[in-house]
Each structure stands twice: as structure tokens, then as C-alpha cells.
Amino acid sequence: MSTTLPHVPADAAALLAGPAPHDAHDGARAVGAPARTYLVKTLGCQMNVHDSEHMAGMLEQAGYVQASASDAAAEAADVIVINTCAVRENAADKLYGNLGRLAGAKRARPGMQIAVGGCLAQKDRAGIVDRAPWVDVVFGTHNLDALPVLLERARHNERAEVEIAESLQVFPSTLPTRRESVYAGWVSISVGCNNTCTFCIVPHLRGKERDRRPGEILAEVQALVDQGAVEVTLLGQNVNSYGVEFGDRGAFAKLLRAVGAIEGLERVRFTSPHPAAFTDDVIAAMAETPTVMPQLHMPLQSGSDRVLRAMRRSYRSDKFLGILERVRAVMPDAAITTDIIVGFPGETEEDFAETLRVVEAARFSSAFTFQYSQRPGTPAADLPDQLPKAVVQERYVRLAALQDRISFEENQAQVGRRVEVLVAESEGRKDGATHRVTGRAADNRLVHLALPADLPADGAPRPGDLVTVTVTHAAPYHLVADSALTDAASFDVRRTRAGDAWARRQAGGEHAHGGAPAATAGCGTASPAPAGPVVLGLPTLGAPRR
């Protein structure tokens, strides 16, 4: 079932099918006219970042081209898509702040269109157009594939189009995808969530869990590897619940082993697992599969068993800490990160002290800490004892200070270690000034590394290459490896297929409107966009090649 506003007249029926397969560019422009440009702005998590890759892929298949870097910075595109999040209280503020700014840009740019998709669009529906009548298209989490058609319909009818499906129409991974990185990629193994956490609106917006078949997942990973990727991250709302739809409780561990065995793939990650479903077969698969990285991001949410019960989180603090103990027993160097909510309704000082106790015991390398947000539509929004803002803020500051100390201590323990870093296009704001390059170690720690002074230009590591260096300095949220400045022999570059693929992409040159990244905000990040599109639909391979 979907809600569409307004009704489509009969003379627009031809637009419903979207651009013709043999001439996709007709969907975005008239014959002979310049291609229309687009920009996708992402607010939210990794799932949203990956959804934005699908949106970009569909737009490019329909004949749009990505806005140039300068146009993207100025928000001067013909189509701007905002992919929204609804998890935090300020999600609506972020959306309407963006829309308010874009109202002037649209007045100054005849023909410009604004589309809003994602979780907040699924939640607020036509209310978005009511508050911001200059929005042209609203679409939800269940019908990403409708974006190009809705844009064309809105242009034809000269009025807003709102279409929200009540259940998943097309599995997102079957859609065209403009990969933001040639050397690393996201792969969704499931969508939706079967849990009933009282603070979370995601199940309402994303629906029940739907699992992809293993052969489809392996085929997509193989296709990414064939295009040059050396790292993949498996995505799911509760990624380790994979298999629930087809009745195999051991499916996720089996999938980890199968993905990790694909030839040419060097790094496998996954996010985010649920502690209640975290089983020992997954720990064994992590430890026994060399390409699965020594890194785990698992949300704690609270260290208080009483609060966990009120949250409907079906584990307790001892179970959580037990999982970490078993992971570290077989992967001693694993870096473990988490999510924590401060100020859940009814949280007492004693409850908060339990959270501090568990954080101290867990020794997280880092944590995403959040102040509780009262989200209409969630059971927790109606609970008594909503805490005063000042109390929540004070606890948040104490928790952040504790985690900063632990993160710094854990990173200091890395000084002197040799680490292998997968070089990124850029993850550091000061890299240009310091002449460092940046990437991620195997345990996903951020590393800024210096290059030897006498390194020839053709010997510099490229994004996608792997560099082994010695860590020389630590900070709470990153490591510095300047060993090459005093000992060039400590610096070792391994040029990879991924680096070759990045170089080929750069050598191909930017197309007229290429080169701008999909803008991101929130906890998800994306690498800068390719110079030309990397479009990947669902592969038809049934299993990885050996």
C-alpha cells in the first residue's frame, strides 16, 4: 500500500515506467539538452550512506550526472536529494534547516528540484511538503526505486509528488549503485529489524527483517572484488540475526566464512550486531577467517540491567561483557566500539554509575555516546520520569570524559606497534597541511601517516594501497605514524589491485560534472566519489569464483 499525493492524471501515465531502457538519458533531459546534475546529501548511519549510493546509481542510470565539486559545495545542482535519518531528536531540525537554506537556491535556479527520502520521509510523509511546499518529491525507505520516476512526474505535473510504500517494494541491493569508493564497499545482507527496543523508531520505518539469499550476497561481493575492492563491510540493522527469515540460526557465521574465502578480498567487516544474538559460532568465524578484521562494533546502550530491561534490550551487562571476554580470548588485539544512550527515562544516578562501571570494564577503543531523544511513536516517549535536560547533559559530559580517557589509554598502547593501513582518499582534515596520508588499520583505528622525505612521486601510496608503518603518537580518536621521517626502512608500501583500480579511474579523467562526493552528515561517512560512475546492479553470479 502506498500514499501518493497528488493523483497522477491519465496523460502522465507514460511517465510511470520511467526512462526507456534503450535511452536512459531521456528520463533526465530533453534530446540535445545538457544533462541535469544531481547531489545526494546524507544524514544518518551507514545504512543511509549505502541507500544514497543506490539513489545516485538510479539517477545516473536515468541520465543525470553528479554535480561538480564546486557546484556541490554551493548546492548548485538541478536535483538535490536529502536522505534523512529519524533516530535522533534533531533529525527534523537538520532536515528543515537544509530545506530552508535550499528554498533560496531553488528560487534562483529555475527548474531545480528537491527530493526528500529516507527514514524521516517515511515517518512524516506529506507533512514535509506541508512545512516546506517548495519540496518536489517525498519518498520512503521502502521504495527507493521510485525516485527517478517521481522526479519526472513532478516536473511533468508541476506539483509535489509524495509516495510512501508501507512495505518493501524492491530489495535495495537489486538497484543500480554508484559506489563512492572503488577500493571498499558496503554490502547489505538484510534490511529491517524484528526487535522492539522502546527507544527506537527504526523497525516502524524500515519494517520487519528481510534477508537476502547467500548466493546473492556472495555474488555482489565477488562483483565488487572484480572491480578492484579489497574491503567490504556487511550491513544489517542487526547483522548477526541474518538467517532468521529462512530459519538458519548459524547463517551469519557461515556467511562470514564464505565471504572471507573470496579470492582477492583482504578485509571483511560487519555492523552492527545485537548482543542478544551474538553466538560463539560467530566468534569462531571471526577468529578463524583471516580476512575478517579484529574489530567489533556492538551497541551496549546502557550498563544498567534495570534500564536495559526498560529498553527491551534482551541481554544484561554480564552477558555483554562475557561476549567481549570471549572475543578477546581468541582475538587479543580486537578493537571494540559501541553505542551508549545517556538519560533514558527513569535512569537513576545508580543506573548511570552501572554504565560507567561497564564502560570501564569493557575498555572500548571508542564509543558513540548519545543523549536520549524522545521520539514520538516509540514506547519510551510515553514513559514517566523523562529526565531534565541538565541532568542528561551532566551525565553525558561525565561519560564522554571517561571514554576519552579510556580511548587515549587504549591508543597509547598502540605506540610502537607495526600496523597495516588501507590508504583512503582522505579521512583527515589536516592531511594537506601535515603532508600525511590517512587510512584505517586492520582494527579500524584511524591512522595518519607520514611519507618518507625521499619517496619518489611514483612510489607514493594510492588510495586502496596498503602501507605498513610504526605508530609513533596517540590521541583519543586517532593514531599518528611518523616513523618514515626518521626511518625510511620502517615504511613499506604494498601496491594492490584496489590502488590500480583507483589509478585507472583517475586516469580516465572526470566527466563534465563528475568528481563531487555525496555530501554526508551524522555518524555515517563516505569516501569521495569516483571521477566517473561506478554503477553496480545485482550480479547474477550464484557463487564466488575460486
Side-chain angles (χ1 to χ4, degrees):
M1 178 181 178
S2 65
T3 302
T4 304
L5 177 73
H7 174 68
V8 182
D11 61 0
L15 293 172
L16 293 174
H22 66 278
D23 192 1
H25 288 249
D26 287 347
R29 56 176 171 164
V31 176
R36 286 169 60 77
T37 61
Y38 76 88
L39 169 66
V40 181
K41 297 171 67 68
T42 308
L43 310 175
C45 65
Q46 293 95 331
M47 297 289 284
N48 274 22
V49 172
H50 191 34
D51 282 349
S52 291
E53 292 184 329
H54 296 313
M55 295 174 193
M58 288 184 295
L59 290 172
E60 295 207 355
Q61 187 179 68
Y64 298 82
V65 296
Q66 194 177 49
S68 67
S70 57
D71 283 348
E75 297 181 322
D78 296 313
V79 170
I80 295 182
V81 183
I82 304 177
N83 187 11
T84 63
C85 174
V87 172
R88 308 301 304 154
E89 185 177 16
N90 63 356
D93 295 338
K94 287 183 178 179
L95 170 63
Y96 291 106
N98 273 274
L99 292 178
R101 188 177 62 252
L102 290 173
K106 185 172 181 179
R107 285 192 297 270
R109 190 181 182 93
M112 178 181 173
Q113 290 183 288
I114 300 171
V116 178
C119 290
L120 197 62
Q122 186 78 24
K123 175 179 173 290
D124 288 357
R125 306 183 176 220
I128 291 173
V129 176
D130 293 340
R131 283 188 62 176
W134 54 93
V135 170
D136 300 277
V137 167
V138 178
F139 63 106
T141 58
H142 296 313
N143 61 330
L144 302 184
D145 58 307
L147 174 59
V149 171
L150 293 174
L151 287 167
E152 288 306 303
R153 195 188 296 169
R155 290 178 66 199
H156 181 276
N157 296 339
E158 298 183 346
R159 55 187 179 187
E161 294 290 334
V162 178
E163 184 168 294
I164 305 294
E166 301 299 337
S167 60
L168 192 66
Q169 304 298 295
V170 177
F171 204 99
S173 295
T174 66
L175 299 172
T177 306
R178 187 192 203 279
R179 299 282 178 177
E180 294 300 333
S181 167
V182 74
Y183 48 85
W186 312 102
V187 175
S188 291
I189 68 171
S190 63
V191 295
C193 178
N194 292 341
N195 290 318
T196 57
C197 302
T198 55
F199 57 81
C200 186
I201 199 168
V202 168
H204 174 65
L205 302 178
R206 292 274 184 179
K208 292 291 186 182
E209 181 172 327
R210 294 278 304 276
D211 294 331
R212 294 178 72 191
R213 302 304 299 182
E216 293 178 349
I217 297 167
L218 294 172
E220 183 175 352
V221 174
Q222 181 69 61
L224 280 168
V225 171
D226 289 345
Q227 290 193 351
V230 293
E231 177 179 296
V232 297
T233 301
L234 305 179
L235 293 178
Q237 215 69 53
N238 294 302
V239 69
N240 57 323
S241 297
Y242 175 73
V244 65
E245 191 178 21
F246 49 84
D248 184 353
R249 292 182 179 273
F252 183 63
K254 296 173 188 174
L255 183 67
L256 272 183
R257 293 179 187 273
V259 170
I262 292 178
E263 186 176 354
L265 186 61
E266 302 205 25
R267 293 186 170 192
V268 179
R269 306 187 190 276
F270 59 91
T271 194
S272 293
H274 194 291
F278 208 96
T279 50
D280 286 347
D281 61 335
V282 172
I283 296 174
M286 293 173 66
E288 295 166 10
T289 309
T291 50
V292 175
M293 294 293 96
Q295 174 241 334
L296 174 65
H297 180 84
M298 187 167 65
L300 169 64
Q301 305 303 7
S302 175
S304 163
D305 290 349
R306 193 187 70 82
V307 172
L308 288 171
R309 193 175 298 111
M311 289 177 167
R312 291 187 197 155
R313 300 286 288 179
S314 47
Y315 57 89
R316 299 297 174 254
S317 60
D318 283 351
K319 177 181 176 70
F320 187 95
L321 290 172
I323 294 170
L324 305 196
E325 183 178 354
R326 295 196 300 279
V327 169
R328 286 173 170 146
V330 294
M331 305 176 77
D333 296 329
I336 299 175
T337 58
T338 197
D339 299 331
I340 302 172
I341 296 172
V342 175
F344 187 80
E347 179 189 77
T348 64
E349 181 61 29
E350 291 74 20
D351 292 324
F352 180 65
E354 280 295 285
T355 294
L356 298 180
R357 177 189 67 82
V358 174
V359 168
E360 187 77 69
R363 305 296 296 178
F364 299 115
S365 60
S366 66
F368 294 101
T369 54
F370 305 93
Q371 298 185 39
Y372 168 74
S373 285
Q374 191 173 5
R375 306 304 293 135
T378 64
D382 299 321
L383 289 176
D385 300 325
Q386 302 284 332
L387 300 187
K389 173 68 175 176
V391 172
V392 178
Q393 175 68 24
E394 190 274 336
R395 290 177 184 171
Y396 175 82
V397 170
R398 274 193 283 157
L399 174 62
L402 171 62
Q403 183 56 55
D404 283 354
R405 173 178 65 77
I406 293 171
S407 295
F408 186 43
E409 290 170 354
E410 291 296 302
N411 279 355
Q412 281 181 312
Q414 302 296 309
V415 174
R417 292 189 61 185
R418 297 280 286 167
V419 295
E420 187 175 57
V421 178
L422 177 62
V423 176
E425 295 212 48
S426 179
E427 290 197 53
R429 290 173 294 178
K430 299 179 181 178
D431 283 352
T434 61
H435 305 291
R436 294 187 180 107
V437 297
T438 294
R440 296 277 171 174
D443 62 10
N444 211 37
R445 283 184 168 93
L446 184 65
V447 182
H448 303 294
L449 57 98
L451 304 178
D454 58 351
L455 188 70
D458 59 359
R462 307 159 300 178
D465 285 339
L466 287 155
V467 180
T468 301
V469 287
T470 301
V471 177
T472 55
H473 302 87
Y477 299 110
H478 67 267
L479 302 174
V480 175
D482 281 349
S483 58
L485 298 179
T486 56
D487 180 12
S490 70
F491 182 90
D492 181 64
V493 178
R494 178 158 64 89
R495 298 172 81 81
T496 67
R497 296 179 307 101
D500 294 342
W502 182 88
R504 285 194 301 271
R505 186 185 68 187
Q506 297 301 107
E510 294 190 357
H511 53 62
H513 298 278
T520 62
C523 64
T525 58
S527 302
V534 178
V535 179
L536 178 69
L538 179 69
T540 55
L541 276 168
R545 293 197 297 272
R546 300 296 185 197

